[in-house]
């Protein structure tokens, strides 16, 4: 499929928002983030361009920009549909360059750079096909879908043929599920009530605000101080009541035993899950925590910093998580995330995507919508995270109504920011710079 | 301890060698490497500077350079002995910056950058103390040694107190082991006979050359083509005989089952180990391979691309490797590698360091010497890898005699290159550039 479209250029920008001024986004590990992104524009000889990004926290965005520049020669000059028609092969090339591979492989800066480029390509593909990415994905045959995925290193859990079978099984149900999705959306939970730097009064006001909007699930950051955590969990529980859902998130501050001991102290607040209790690399540690907290009714969630599909594979194989929190901007973009959904389905683990500021919500909704339509068909006890930040900078922001994400109809991946935002927030030239530098 | 020494500057250079012209260093995954490094000079107000580096494969070195520049504000302006006297705390700060952490954490580009900076600091410390780093380490009390280590995320395998006990136990044996080391050196194996791009004639000549030099252990690259692997293993076995040791290295090209099937086909050549059979992130996969190859007498080795101490911890916990191949330039430098040695000792796994071009041999010898003197006291069935490349560019190159590394006596970490090398090989300004660009 596809018309002749040549990729003529790849531009990358360092975009930063001075969020540390209000402690928006502060947690036990990231006390002072300036929500940012490395922003990619893929230009073509057609009317359409692709916009993509990877999320960052301020300093270091310039390193990811350097990583994207290193990848750009593998993209510029290519025919867009040569990429899309054999996307899995292209994805492997992008992540396996004989020289660049050494400085990953498939992790950290280079994989964030890969995600930004890949996300821009999906945005371009959606625009060329005049479909939002979730619909582009949902309209693919099982064979087309798996052709976008690199199965290297995961065939011990799921092969290409098994993936096709899984997708075929639910193919007849797609139409009905799509109707449900368009009518009712997909449930969201909010993290906006629980950042560590917020005052008690602000937290109470925010709880009421999101209750009024229909939210029933709320996440609170923990891990800096046990007494403070107890007080804040108590306050949030009093605000939201005991019939709503509370999650807590430690952002990796604990060692394994410390995580277990701390969480036992918080069990009276009945958290559904503890998120990122320890290092995001520690599969065996998470499994130990999951086993120890099971008698206390607390589940384990992780994924926003999980490096790649090989790490996700092990978390799933080793029963090291109950909630798989894929992130749209960390592992190598849409293609690799699809493989995580397939493994999670095979091993019967719920996917509840991580989201946050600077476009993370805008992107990740597409993936969960596809999962609902083509793979899982079940929203029960699942949510997409919702963080109410930077939406105003996107041309097509998320549309969350009654605590549900409503599927977008605009073509692409909802990743395009306004031109004025890109000018004002470009670092270090934009006028917002003065709010970031000391 | 320590006199007043202020760090006044941090300079970083992109240094590349056109090794792809001769296929030096080519393997099944890295078909075309230009051995390179990001090279750090830490300047002080004293007579002494520190030189450090992290290894790279050509393209992408500029991304690591950007990563080092992002870290430099945490180093410049500090008192050197404020760092050295509480080095574990400094190491954690360098790897846990609230904003930079997101683009790692502790892996990929940012951790390579960390290694380069940390290695330069150890070189500086050695020079200030007028000791080679192996001797600096070996003269430390157990308490001093563990004060350089960040135990975060590894206390479920080894705590600071356990580490002190382990080191105390062997303290009385240090003097005698140091004498042994100075007299006999530490065994080396060679990889120089087995790069994939070499002709048959070249391989045979090289086998004879290294046999004549006294080598008894030889490593061959495999994984591109099974018939070709059989032919080359046969040729090398015929050259080196059956009483010497053969290792094989697949550089991550296989999936789990593929690795098992392929190695069963090579068992007739009696390889001691298969190195990097699959993704360096796949602990559970390596464990499956290790179990499957056990009846065939083939062990599993990995580590050169292992991201950090948390990944090593799991490889060790999960019996996923028999030979732990720490690399001096990948995980966050000397401090973190010391923690891996402690975990390997606790879990009774042999450490056989990875080395290669551009200073990897020069650096890693120090760590294995310390391990021998202070922790293990046993060289039996263990080797340091030896690759005969780029030594001529270092002011104090490795001294390998009769297939043994002889400990250096010059102060520092053997990381300083000649000024002319830094001028000629700096990319893209140096005159060697014409040999790298297409």
């Amino acid at each position: 499929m596809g018309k002749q479209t040549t990729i003529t250029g790849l531009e990358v920008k360092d975009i930063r928002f001075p969020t540390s001024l209000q402690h928006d986004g502060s947690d036990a590990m990231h006390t002072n983030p300036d929500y940012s992104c490395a922003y990619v524009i893929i230009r073509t000889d057609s009317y359409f361009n692709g916009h993509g990004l990877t999320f960052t926290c301020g300093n270091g965005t310039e390193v990811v920009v350097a990583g994207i520049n290193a990848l750009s020669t593998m993209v510029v000059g290519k025919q867009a549909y040569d990429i899309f028609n054999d996307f899995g092969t292209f994805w492997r090339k992008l992540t396996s360059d004989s020289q660049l591979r050494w400085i990953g492989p498939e992790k950290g800066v280079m994989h964030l750079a890969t995600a930004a480029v890949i996300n821009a390509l999906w945005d371009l593909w959606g625009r060329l096909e005049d479909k939002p990415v979730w619909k582009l994905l949902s309209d693919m045959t099982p064979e087309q879908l798996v052709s976008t995925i690199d199965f290297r290193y995961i065939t011990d859990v799921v092969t290409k043929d098994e993936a096709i079978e899984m997708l075929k099984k639910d193919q007849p149900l797609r139409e009905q599920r799509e109707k449900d999705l368009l009518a009712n959306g997909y449930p969201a939970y909010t993290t906006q009530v629980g950042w560590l730097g917020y005052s008690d009064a602000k937290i109470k006001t925010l709880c009421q605000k999101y209750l009024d909007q229909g939210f029933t699930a709320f996440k609170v950051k923990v891990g800096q101080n046990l007494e403070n955590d107890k007080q804040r969990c108590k306050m949030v529980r009093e605000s939201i009541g005991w019939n709503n859902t509370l999650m807590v998130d430690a952002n990796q501050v604990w060692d394994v035993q410390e995580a277990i001991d701390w969480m036992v102290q918080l069990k009276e607040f009945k958290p559904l899950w503890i998120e990122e209790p320890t290092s995001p690399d520690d599969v065996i540690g998470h499994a130990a925590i999951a086993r120890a907290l099971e008698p206390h009714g607390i589940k384990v969630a992780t994924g926003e910093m999980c490096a790649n599909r090989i790490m996700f594979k092990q978390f799933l194989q080793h029963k090291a998580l109950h909630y798989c929190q894929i992130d749209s901007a960390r592992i190598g973009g849409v293609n690799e995330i699809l493989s995580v959904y397939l493994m999670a389905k095979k091993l019967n683990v719920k996917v509840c995507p991580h989201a946050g500021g600077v476009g993370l919500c805008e992107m990740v909704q597409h993936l969960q919508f596809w999962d609902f339509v083509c793979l899982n068909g079940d929203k029960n006890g699942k949510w997409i995270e919702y963080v109410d930040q930077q939406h105003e900078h996107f041309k097509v922001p998320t549309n969350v109504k009654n605590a549900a994400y409503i599927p977008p109809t605009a073509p692409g991946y909802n990743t395009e920011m306004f031109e004025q935002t890109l000018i004002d927030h470009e670092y270090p030239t934009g006028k917002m710079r003065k709010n970031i530098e000391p």
Side-chain angles (χ1 to χ4, degrees), chain A residues 85-296:
Chain A
N85 290 338
D86 191 11
F87 211 162
T89 301
F90 175 81
W91 191 92
R92 183 183 292 192
K93 266 192 197 151
L94 198 66
T95 56
S96 305
D97 175 80
S98 165
Q99 298 195 344
L100 287 176
R101 197 174 182 282
W102 186 268
I103 63 170
E106 304 187 41
K107 58 178 66 68
V109 167
M110 289 312 296
H111 225 35
L112 293 169
T114 297
V117 171
I118 289 290
N119 288 340
L121 285 169
W122 279 90
D123 183 55
L124 174 64
W125 197 2
R127 287 163 191 261
L128 288 169
E129 297 291 326
D130 199 28
K131 289 178 184 179
V133 165
W134 71 267
K135 178 70 172 151
L136 175 68
L137 287 166
S138 301
D139 287 349
M140 285 184 186
T141 66
E143 290 79 2
Q144 282 172 329
L145 194 284
V146 300
S147 78
T148 69
I149 296 173
D150 181 5
F151 284 83
R152 182 159 74 177
Y153 300 142
I154 60 170
T155 56
D156 48 334
V157 165
V158 68
T159 65
K160 191 174 270 203
D161 289 343
E162 283 177 292
I164 290 172
E165 285 315 303
M166 282 159 64
L167 289 163
K168 276 193 175 158
K169 200 172 140 281
D170 279 21
Q171 222 172 343
L173 305 168
R174 288 185 184 183
E175 200 181 322
Q176 177 196 334
R177 288 174 182 169
E178 201 176 307
K179 278 185 194 152
D180 173 350
L181 192 65
L182 288 165
N184 306 307
Y186 198 101
Y189 75 84
T190 178
T191 307
Q192 205 61 35
V193 304
W195 303 114
L196 276 187
Y198 285 4
S199 69
D200 290 4
K202 186 165 183 176
I203 292 172
K204 282 184 193 172
T205 307
L206 286 168
C207 284
Q208 196 53 53
K209 173 181 164 188
Y210 287 97
L211 280 169
D212 292 346
Q213 291 181 13
F215 280 88
T216 60
F218 302 79
K219 195 165 77 187
V220 169
K221 301 287 180 177
V222 296
Q224 246 179 11
N225 176 295
L226 182 58
E227 287 314 307
N228 180 267
D229 285 352
K230 285 184 178 176
Q231 188 205 326
R232 291 164 62 259
C233 285
K234 186 163 177 283
M235 193 169 60
V236 172
R237 261 296 175 214
E238 282 168 1
S239 298
I240 68 170
W242 292 87
N243 291 329
N244 284 319
T245 301
L246 174 71
M247 302 93 150
V248 298
D249 183 356
N251 292 88
Q252 315 167 16
V253 290
W254 299 316
D255 280 21
V256 173
Q257 190 56 47
E258 197 180 4
I260 297 164
D261 296 342
W262 196 297
M263 282 311 299
V264 169
Q265 297 285 313
L266 296 181
K267 75 172 175 178
E268 61 181 300
F269 306 106
K270 296 203 180 302
L272 174 67
W273 75 51
I274 171 63
E275 180 171 331
E276 292 203 304
T278 188
S279 164
D281 301 329
D282 198 350
V283 177
I284 295 176
H286 277 81
I289 294 166
R291 277 196 308 275
L293 294 179
E294 194 154 13
H296 302 289

Side-chain angles (χ1 to χ4, degrees), chain A residues 424-438:
Chain A
D424 291 348
H425 288 269
E426 185 158 14
Y427 187 83
T429 53
K431 72 177 185 187
M432 297 303 288
R433 170 189 182 184
K434 68 179 184 302
N435 296 317
I436 290 182
E437 286 191 332

Side-chain angles (χ1 to χ4, degrees), chain A residues 329-373:
Chain A
R330 179 160 298 266
I331 70 174
V334 176
N335 313 51
E336 189 171 10
I337 297 170
L338 296 175
S339 76
V340 177
Y341 274 104
L342 291 166
M343 292 190 286
K345 170 74 176 174
K346 172 101 186 277
L347 297 176
N348 203 21
V349 172
K350 286 181 178 175
V351 177
C352 287
H354 171 255
V358 199
L360 291 181
C361 298
E362 275 71 12
M363 294 189 285
V364 86
Q365 58 178 339
H366 290 269
L367 306 174
Q368 195 77 352
F369 296 156
W370 163 78
D371 174 57
F372 175 72
V373 172

Side-chain angles (χ1 to χ4, degrees), chain A residues 55-110:
Chain A
F55 180 83
T56 49
C57 283
N59 290 332
T61 310
E62 75 283 6
V63 186
V64 181
V65 165
I68 291 168
N69 283 325
L71 294 174
S72 92
T73 56
M74 286 187 266
V75 181
V76 176
K78 293 273 186 307
Q79 293 299 317
Y81 279 92
D82 285 353
I83 292 175
F84 302 146
N85 290 338
D86 191 11
F87 211 162
T89 301
F90 175 81
W91 191 92
R92 183 183 292 192
K93 266 192 197 151
L94 198 66
T95 56
S96 305
D97 175 80
S98 165
Q99 298 195 344
L100 287 176
R101 197 174 182 282
W102 186 268
I103 63 170
E106 304 187 41
K107 58 178 66 68
V109 167
M110 289 312 296

